[in-house]
Amino acid sequence: MAPEKRADDVRLLRGFERRFLAARALRSFPWQSLEEKLRDSSGSELLLDILQKPSGDSVTLCESTAIVSHGTTGLVTWNAALYLAEWAVENPAVFTHRTALELGSGAGLTGLAICKTCRPRAYVFSDCHSHVLEQLRGNVLLNGFSLEPSIDAWAQHPGPHTPEAERPWVTVARLDWDTVTAPQLVAFQPDVVLAADVLYCPETVLSLVGVLRKLSTCRKDQRAPDAYVAFTVRNPETCQLFTTELGRAGIPWEEMPRHNQKLFPYEEHSEMAILKLTL
């Protein structure tokens, strides 16, 4: 089989796998492309590949089918969370043997993907809505991770972390950006901070920049944590407000290059970006 033809078959196969594992509607599957492939001699082989059990690790989620549920948008997975998870899988060194704090974890897909593929030392999921926290804890357990009750015990006795360690230390924390204090953030001892799809209104942008300013004081070994914020550009004015407020807070930023991973089914025409912040 010609290399370019095989590459087309692999892309089609991955398209079926991603949509199947994400429980997408059957109408979203690339049936027309499959029908065209079945007309040539290699079509039967491709069909057998599609019917095989998908390979690789997976993330299992329980989430809402409604965009807004219980007064929050945090019970579903948004595109930037998928995009950030793909970037993390391509850049595991950012998280390997480090402590990560995620702001606004939502359903937990990004963090669970990082915990399964990037070998962090510890991962702190956080959110503030009670229903989101309840679902988040369930999703962590659903993926085979044990939940620690708080950061305190691990921070005092973290123990040695060896390459043979199979699972990161994981906890879920209630974190309100408007009321959390710098000492409370320091207790997490983060090496890296991340957030996905949290720039959806001016009020949230201001709260996020406020908590990032507090995190800039969380120096571990004389350095502030790295921070990465992923977002979908829905309203350019909201994104502009974010970068403007970062400037006012004295937080330099740079946009990360687009990554090559395509592991999840999301709208490819969506404009997404990841900013690296220097706290």
Side-chain angles (χ1 to χ4, degrees):
M1 183 183 298
E4 61 274 10
K5 186 176 180 61
R6 181 57 186 168
D8 288 342
D9 287 354
V10 169
R11 280 193 292 270
L12 182 58
L13 173 61
R14 294 293 176 263
F16 270 88
E17 284 188 351
R18 288 196 297 266
R19 287 166 175 79
F20 173 77
L21 290 172
R24 293 299 173 91
L26 287 175
R27 62 178 178 276
S28 72
F29 285 59
W31 298 111
Q32 184 175 353
S33 297
L34 176 61
E35 184 178 354
E36 293 172 357
K37 286 288 183 182
L38 289 174
R39 293 195 181 103
D40 64 36
S41 58
S42 65
S44 57
E45 180 182 345
L46 175 63
L47 185 58
L48 287 174
D49 287 340
I50 291 174
L51 294 175
Q52 294 296 318
K53 180 180 179 181
S55 60
D57 208 344
S58 63
V59 173
T60 304
L61 291 179
C62 175
E63 59 180 8
S64 174
T65 57
I67 294 177
V68 179
S69 179
H70 296 284
T72 178
T73 59
L75 294 170
V76 296
T77 300
W78 295 85
N79 284 349
L82 301 171
Y83 187 72
L84 182 58
E86 291 175 340
W87 178 85
V89 170
E90 195 172 75
N91 298 274
V94 172
F95 306 96
T96 301
H97 301 165
R98 306 181 80 195
T99 298
L101 168 63
E102 184 179 2
L103 304 173
S105 299
L109 182 138
T110 301
L112 289 168
I114 290 171
C115 287
K116 288 195 172 189
T117 63
C118 300
R119 302 178 68 84
R121 179 191 300 271
Y123 200 95
V124 181
F125 295 86
S126 76
D127 218 293
C128 67
H129 194 284
S130 60
H131 285 90
V132 175
L133 291 169
E134 180 182 357
Q135 178 181 267
L136 186 53
R137 293 187 186 98
N139 283 336
V140 170
L141 297 173
L142 191 60
N143 284 271
F145 295 101
S146 299
L147 267 176
E148 299 295 333
S150 70
I151 191 76
D152 297 333
W154 179 85
Q156 294 173 10
H157 306 285
H161 189 91
T162 64
E164 291 76 24
E166 295 183 358
R167 295 285 183 177
W169 182 95
V170 177
T171 192
V172 173
R174 185 183 187 281
L175 199 159
D176 187 319
W177 298 349
D178 293 323
T179 61
V180 68
T181 65
Q184 289 173 325
L185 293 170
V186 169
F188 292 124
Q189 300 187 29
D191 297 298
V192 57
V193 176
L194 63 155
D197 246 332
V198 293
L199 306 181
Y200 47 84
C201 70
E203 294 77 15
T204 303
V205 168
L206 297 177
S207 296
L208 175 61
V209 174
V211 79
L212 290 171
R213 291 184 65 177
K214 295 172 185 175
L215 280 163
S216 67
T217 68
C218 300
R219 298 187 177 275
K220 183 177 181 180
D221 299 327
Q222 302 305 310
R223 59 171 297 186
D226 300 324
Y228 299 87
V229 178
F231 55 91
T232 302
V233 181
R234 299 183 182 87
N235 184 341
E237 293 181 358
T238 303
C239 299
Q240 180 63 48
L241 174 64
F242 180 53
T243 55
T244 298
E245 291 299 320
L246 288 176
R248 289 178 178 172
I251 301 176
W253 58 272
E254 62 176 314
E255 184 171 349
M256 303 300 291
R258 292 189 64 84
H259 60 263
N260 298 318
Q261 290 280 5
K262 187 66 174 70
L263 304 176
F264 302 106
Y266 53 80
E267 299 175 3
E268 296 187 20
H269 64 269
S270 298
E271 184 181 353
M272 287 179 281
I274 299 175
L275 300 188
K276 179 180 180 181
L277 315 181
T278 303
L279 300 180

